[in-house]
Amino acid sequence: PALFQMSGSQPQVGRGVPCLRCRGLCTGFEPHSWRKICKSCKCSQEEHSLNSELEDDRKIGRLLSDSKYSSLTARLKGGDGVRIYKRNRMIVTNPNISGKDPTFDTITYEWAPPGLAQKLAMQYMELIPKELQPVAGTDGAFLRRRRLTRQLPLYDQDPAQCRGLADGEHKLMEEFVKKYKAEALGVGEVALPGQGGGGKEEEKPQEKSINPGRVPESPNGALESAAGHFRCDTCKQAVPGDCPVVYADRAGYSRQWHPACFVCCRCAEPLVDLIYFWKSGAAWCGRHYCESLRPRCAGCDEIIFSEDYQQVEGLAWHKKHFACLECETLLIGKPFTLANTSLLCTTCSQSR
């Protein structure tokens, strides 16, 4: 059977870990005061080391704990009421009878859909591209944790993690987080077609779609009454009755997705651990949902709650973060160059 257990690996320390991208040119992570990058090589902390599994589980626990998905969290012993994500790890043991003495091959999935029999959970995994399956020690497990960092930044839910908030904006952010937890946050459910939500097939009232990029063309991933087939809401292809699909309760149980099709409508990335945000008839990752409501600072990567911010070529900055990447000179009212999302003063631009 699938095992439900807490992860408890030792945290990896970010500071001091050489950068993967710089291949030894950077000797270790030196945090910038407000940018989410290394002061030395300008790469993200993610390029030096990911959070530990325990830190990831704490982050998701915080996100889900005061929402209707709190059953996916558990109270941490001695943690002063802190709740942690009950991440479902699945351990599969297969007999290997090729040799003289039978042995057992054990495969650990760092995450699997909770509440399923192992057979159905394995069917779900087989419908995910092999390179994305979160098998411990593989690129798939590493990519899952990178998606956790990218799609669900801690500073999108915890004002204490933000460096860009001005006095009086903590309350605005707290209300912003409370609102999205109540109105948009969801966790996908895996079931056979027609069995999502215990077999509910009613359609919830839907908002009209406003095309944010990759939103499905029509909002009706419903049963085809004539043929009796289910169709995937993204690719519109028929779904076999014996193959697991993903349901999103905020979408209504007449819509379903192939496991590989349950992706963010903006970036098309698979939604990590099936955590989604529902808006305008489509599922979004946390990062792009927040950006659809408020601008994100290209300097510190945090959501901007001030109405007075700097905009250039579709990008936004806190005014105090509209600064040269190299020398940190504030550039409001001064000449600058913009390369990708990096601002440079004319002196630093020429010296490059």
Side-chain angles (χ1 to χ4, degrees):
L3 298 182
F4 294 76
Q5 62 188 54
M6 306 295 288
S7 65
S9 64
Q10 292 301 309
Q12 299 168 347
V13 179
R15 188 190 296 271
V17 179
C19 179
L20 300 174
R21 184 180 288 177
C22 296
R23 303 202 175 274
L25 296 177
C26 170
T27 54
F29 183 69
E30 188 183 353
H32 188 278
S33 57
W34 50 265
R35 299 183 196 268
K36 310 295 187 290
I37 61 170
C38 174
K39 212 151 88 173
S40 170
C41 68
K42 305 293 192 289
C43 290
S44 69
Q45 182 168 359
E46 195 181 322
E47 298 293 345
H48 291 260
S49 71
L50 294 171
N51 290 333
S52 69
E53 289 183 355
L54 185 58
E55 287 171 316
D56 283 341
D57 289 345
R58 283 174 179 271
K59 176 175 77 172
I60 304 306
R62 180 189 173 94
L63 179 67
L64 302 179
S65 63
D66 48 357
S67 75
K68 63 179 182 174
Y69 304 96
S70 60
S71 62
L72 295 174
T73 69
R75 197 173 299 283
L76 192 62
K77 284 183 182 174
D80 297 329
V82 172
R83 299 188 73 87
I84 194 167
Y85 182 32
K86 275 195 304 191
R87 176 165 51 91
N88 179 38
R89 300 175 76 188
M90 181 169 70
I91 299 174
V92 180
T93 303
N94 298 312
N96 180 358
I97 52 173
S98 57
K100 184 185 270 188
D101 298 316
T103 56
F104 294 92
D105 293 329
T106 300
I107 300 171
T108 300
Y109 291 87
E110 294 292 349
W111 172 86
L116 302 183
Q118 192 175 81
K119 182 182 176 185
L120 193 60
M122 283 303 301
Q123 273 185 283
Y124 169 89
M125 286 300 175
E126 285 159 11
L127 293 169
I128 300 289
K130 190 162 181 63
E131 66 274 13
L132 297 181
Q133 294 175 14
V135 175
T138 68
D139 285 348
F142 177 75
L143 289 171
R144 171 190 165 268
R145 292 176 61 203
R146 286 199 85 149
R147 285 200 301 274
L148 271 175
T149 300
R150 189 163 48 247
Q151 294 182 16
L152 301 167
L154 184 55
Y155 43 86
D156 277 10
Q157 57 161 309
D158 183 1
Q161 301 295 321
C162 296
R163 300 290 173 267
L165 294 175
D167 292 343
E169 290 177 1
H170 282 73
K171 188 73 178 167
L172 288 174
M173 182 171 180
E174 285 169 4
E175 289 302 318
F176 177 81
V177 173
K178 188 177 176 183
K179 194 171 193 300
Y180 75 53
K181 286 188 181 187
E183 298 178 3
L185 174 65
V187 181
E189 171 191 345
V190 176
L192 290 172
Q195 295 181 20
K200 300 172 191 172
E201 289 174 7
E202 77 278 3
E203 179 77 38
K204 288 190 179 181
Q206 294 298 322
E207 305 166 69
K208 298 213 171 176
S209 236
I210 54 163
N211 183 14
R214 288 177 169 258
V215 174
E217 291 170 19
S218 62
N220 69 336
L223 273 169
E224 286 186 328
S225 54
H229 293 306
F230 295 86
R231 289 196 177 275
C232 171
D233 204 65
T234 295
C235 71
K236 311 303 179 192
Q237 297 300 306
V239 176
D242 59 351
C243 281
V245 292
V246 178
Y247 287 94
D249 64 334
R250 292 191 185 274
Y253 285 98
S254 63
R255 304 171 74 167
Q256 60 279 309
W257 288 261
H258 289 118
C261 289
F262 194 58
V263 299
C264 171
C265 67
R266 174 61 61 82
C267 64
E269 277 201 356
L271 291 159
V272 66
D273 293 14
L274 304 181
I275 297 168
Y276 69 91
F277 292 74
W278 191 256
K279 181 190 169 193
S280 304
W284 304 63
C285 71
R287 169 174 288 274
H288 290 116
Y289 172 79
C290 289
E291 288 176 18
S292 76
L293 300 176
R294 301 283 325 169
R296 186 181 294 280
C297 177
C300 70
D301 201 45
E302 294 171 13
I303 298 299
I304 299 173
F305 287 92
S306 168
E307 297 305 324
D308 184 22
Y309 57 92
Q310 193 74 14
Q311 277 187 295
V312 178
E313 294 183 17
L315 298 172
W317 285 262
H318 292 106
K319 285 199 161 181
K320 62 185 175 183
H321 293 161
F322 194 72
C324 176
L325 179 67
E326 298 292 345
C327 68
E328 301 293 343
T329 300
L330 281 175
L331 295 172
I332 292 174
K334 296 179 182 176
F336 62 87
T337 59
L338 179 63
N340 295 323
T341 59
S342 298
L343 291 166
L344 292 171
C345 68
T346 50
T347 304
C348 291
S349 176
Q350 287 163 7
S351 66
R352 274 193 169 189

